[in-house]
Each structure stands twice: as C-alpha cells, then as structure tokens.
Amino acid sequence: MTKVSFDTTAAAAPSAKISREGSGSLTPATARELGGKLFNKFKDRELKDVVIETIALEAGTVANIADGFLRASYTFNKYKTKPQNEGPQAVTFTATDPKAAEAAFAPLRTT
C-alpha cells in the first residue's frame, strides 16, 4: 500500500501537475477516478516515489485524488507466486494548504 503525504513543496520535481484548467470541474467521484488513473500510469512507468503538484486545487479535491490513488494501490499478493510490480511506494501531494488537505483526507483514508 502506498504512503500518502501532503506538503507545500517537495524535494523532488513533480511527476505530474494537475491544474484547474486541465481538471475542469472535478466531482469527488471523478477526482477519485483521476487518482486511480495516475497510480496506474506511474505503476506502468515503474516509479517508486511520486510527487503530484495540486497547488491550484481545493483541499477536498486533493483529498479525493489521494483517496483514488491509495485505493488503486491496493494489491492482494498472499497467494501469488510471481513478484508483481506494486507501483509507487510513496506519493506526496503538494497543496496550498496541506493541513486542510490532510484533514479532508483523514475520513477517506481506507487503512
């Protein structure tokens, strides 16, 4: 399962940027779907640590994207014999107000 964190800046360059212009009007469901798609894209590229810049988005939208990302990262490997690419192990969302994003994410956190 991927470790999710929120910050105002990140040590590494962003792996992806989500802006208001590109995101249109994101409902909670479409934001979660976007988070899942981002996870799968990074998994295909075999990235382990990911930074997603979400500065222009509201805290609730960032939280829903993080929730979708986290849900997509779940794998059940107990009975698999071949090692699987588990995708990114850590993701940092850069947000204008990381504390608000973390607070909005807290009730959504699945684990």
Side-chain angles (χ1 to χ4, degrees), residues 59-72:
T61 302
V62 175
N64 281 305
I65 293 170
D67 184 48
F69 197 97
L70 186 63
R71 289 172 187 259

Side-chain angles (χ1 to χ4, degrees), residues 1-4 15 35-52 69-70 72-75 84-93:
M1 184 87 36
T2 302
K3 179 182 178 278
V4 176
S15 305
K37 287 179 180 180
L38 285 169
F39 175 82
N40 289 323
K41 181 173 284 228
F42 297 134
K43 180 179 177 181
D44 291 343
R45 292 184 184 172
E46 297 185 4
L47 297 176
K48 295 298 176 194
D49 293 323
V50 176
V51 176
I52 301 175
F69 197 97
L70 186 63
S73 74
Y74 176 78
T75 57
Q84 302 288 319
N85 173 11
E86 294 184 3
Q89 300 301 302
V91 61
T92 301
F93 290 89

